[in-house]
Amino acid sequence: MPKIGTPMLFCPPDAPLALRPRNTVVLGRSRSCDLRIGGGDASRRHAEIRGDADGFLVRDLGSTNGTLVNGDRVGEHRLAPGDRIEIGATMITFCEVGGGFENLGLESDTQKTILTERPASNQVFEGELAEIPPFAVLQMLEMGRKTGLLQFDSVEGVGRLWLTKGDPVHAETKTQSGFDAAIAIVHASTGRFTFQPHETPTERTIEASVTELLLEASRALDEGLL
């Protein structure tokens, strides 16, 4: 992947939010915030992410419960790809996305990212899971209505997940197949991913959207099932 890509925030099941250079995005419970955070642990204007010549900074806005980055409470912190911003129980991941996704834009009314698939593109999309976690990759593929094979190579082994027009249709790991395999893939945290467009599965074992898959994966993690 290119070293510099499009900076984005991921907070599933919400749609990804692209950051613009030298702009400021406010996070919090208020309806006026650019990224609304639910739950009583978030202040009305909790934190902001601000772009400058060197990248992006997250700054706590005097919130009651504080802002964490990768588990540490911060006042201000320069963001690096893969950083996890915690506001109460909400996790927001900062990523730089590049390679394989073209025509990236913002919808002016909703400020939500739209990704469109370039016709007849055979470009492979790949990267490090530490910088772009599986849920972020899947959200981009869903929004871009991508068809192909997403492969994860991690310490847990190889996982493969096929998508058709952005929907997961089949998944395989060394020990699992179908929806359970897809859940396991979502929680991979180390290694690399590769997306090969236009690869089609031999069978369909999943009847769910990416959003439904991510919600179920989150539930399983909260309940200690993983």
Side-chain angles (χ1 to χ4, degrees):
M1 289 183 64
K3 291 184 179 180
I4 299 176
T6 301
M8 302 180 72
L9 298 178
F10 291 85
C11 184
D14 293 338
L17 176 66
L19 300 175
R20 293 175 176 175
R22 300 189 182 278
N23 274 19
T24 298
V25 170
V26 178
L27 292 63
R29 200 175 69 249
S30 172
R31 291 181 180 274
S32 65
C33 290
D34 302 288
L35 182 58
R36 292 189 64 196
I37 308 297
D41 291 335
S43 297
R44 288 181 58 78
R45 290 174 58 86
H46 195 105
E48 68 176 16
I49 295 175
R50 173 171 47 85
D52 62 19
D54 297 318
F56 288 86
L57 293 150
V58 60
R59 183 169 69 93
D60 186 79
L61 296 177
S63 66
T64 301
N65 295 306
T67 300
L68 280 67
V69 177
N70 302 326
D72 296 323
R73 186 162 180 163
V74 300
E76 185 172 273
H77 177 86
R78 183 162 297 280
L79 293 169
D83 277 353
R84 272 74 166 177
I85 303 163
E86 296 176 57
I87 295 178
T90 299
M91 179 82 72
I92 303 154
T93 305
F94 173 80
C95 300
E96 288 184 352
V97 178
F101 288 91
E102 308 295 338
N103 303 321
L104 178 65
L106 286 174
E107 201 173 20
S108 58
D109 292 337
T110 64
Q111 292 292 292
K112 290 184 178 179
T113 303
I114 300 173
L115 294 163
T116 57
E117 187 171 16
R118 184 174 62 178
S121 172
N122 292 310
Q123 188 175 7
V124 172
F125 176 46
E126 59 186 358
E128 299 288 340
L129 292 175
E131 296 184 357
I132 309 180
F135 65 81
V137 179
L138 286 169
Q139 280 196 300
M140 289 187 291
L141 295 172
E142 179 185 43
M143 296 185 72
R145 294 181 57 79
K146 299 285 185 177
T147 294
L149 170 61
L150 181 60
Q151 179 167 309
F152 295 92
D153 295 281
S154 68
V155 293
E156 292 85 6
V158 176
R160 297 181 178 88
L161 195 155
W162 285 263
L163 300 102
T164 299
K165 294 184 178 180
D167 290 328
V169 294
H170 180 58
E172 296 175 355
T173 64
K174 184 177 180 180
T175 59
Q176 296 174 303
S177 179
F179 195 76
D180 289 342
I183 293 290
I185 286 171
V186 168
H187 289 286
S189 59
T190 59
R192 291 187 59 81
F193 68 86
T194 304
F195 179 72
Q196 180 62 56
H198 312 308
E199 295 287 334
T200 56
T202 57
E203 57 182 320
R204 183 173 190 129
T205 57
I206 301 173
E207 297 289 345
S209 66
V210 165
T211 299
E212 291 168 336
L213 171 62
L214 296 182
L215 286 172
E216 182 60 24
S218 177
R219 184 195 66 79
L221 185 63
D222 290 342
E223 294 180 2
L225 301 178
L226 294 173

